[in-house]
Amino acid sequence: MSLDIFMSTLARAFSYVLPIVGVIALIYLILFLKQLIETLKQVSKTLDTANDQLKKLDAPLKTAENISTTVDEVNQSAKEAFVSVISSLSENVQNAKDWFQNKKNGKESIETKEDE
């Protein structure tokens, strides 16, 4: 058997086998693409469901944001009230201290201080 006959026989055998292998590969490719399309549809449904769940969370998150803003406002008001009370208390303590000092020394009375 010569090399030319062997190659000729081999070429004829592959001419029968290659179309069959090509059809089988094409079938597997079609099945793979079908499965890929179904998976993408499921992913799309999953993403839609997740989006719906996130939309449901918008209202509670908005409420939490409003509560946080209210707490911040209450905190700021409390700080301002505390500073106001402390400054008034400091002023009143200073006035009382001056009054006691004046009483102790007997220099001025409250009436004369109020006239000034």
Side-chain angles (χ1 to χ4, degrees):
M1 186 171 186
S2 74
L3 187 57
D4 289 334
I5 297 173
F6 176 72
M7 288 293 184
S8 156
T9 307
L10 190 62
R12 202 170 345 159
F14 277 115
S15 69
Y16 295 130
V17 173
L18 282 179
I20 295 171
V21 171
V23 168
I24 292 172
L26 187 60
I27 290 171
Y28 277 117
L29 180 63
I30 290 170
L31 291 174
F32 173 75
L33 290 175
K34 179 183 174 196
Q35 187 66 32
L36 181 64
I37 290 170
E38 289 175 4
T39 303
L40 289 176
K41 286 180 183 178
Q42 289 176 352
V43 167
S44 177
K45 288 179 184 177
T46 303
L47 290 176
D48 289 340
T49 303
N51 190 28
D52 291 341
Q53 294 298 324
L54 286 174
K55 285 181 182 178
K56 288 179 184 178
L57 285 176
D58 282 343
L61 289 176
K62 184 67 175 172
T63 302
E65 179 183 353
N66 290 339
I67 289 171
S68 174
T69 303
T70 303
V71 168
D72 289 342
E73 290 171 357
V74 167
N75 185 27
Q76 185 63 29
S77 297
K79 283 181 183 178
E80 291 171 1
F82 183 74
V83 168
S84 175
V85 165
I86 292 298
S87 71
S88 295
L89 188 62
S90 175
E91 184 179 321
N92 289 337
V93 166
Q94 185 63 37
N95 289 340
K97 180 181 170 186
D98 291 343
W99 183 74
F100 281 122
Q101 189 69 25
N102 290 336
K103 283 293 187 179
K104 182 179 175 185
N105 294 336
K107 293 181 180 176
E108 290 183 349
S109 67
I110 295 177
E111 294 84 25
T112 57
K113 192 166 192 173
E114 288 177 356
D115 292 339
E116 293 178 359

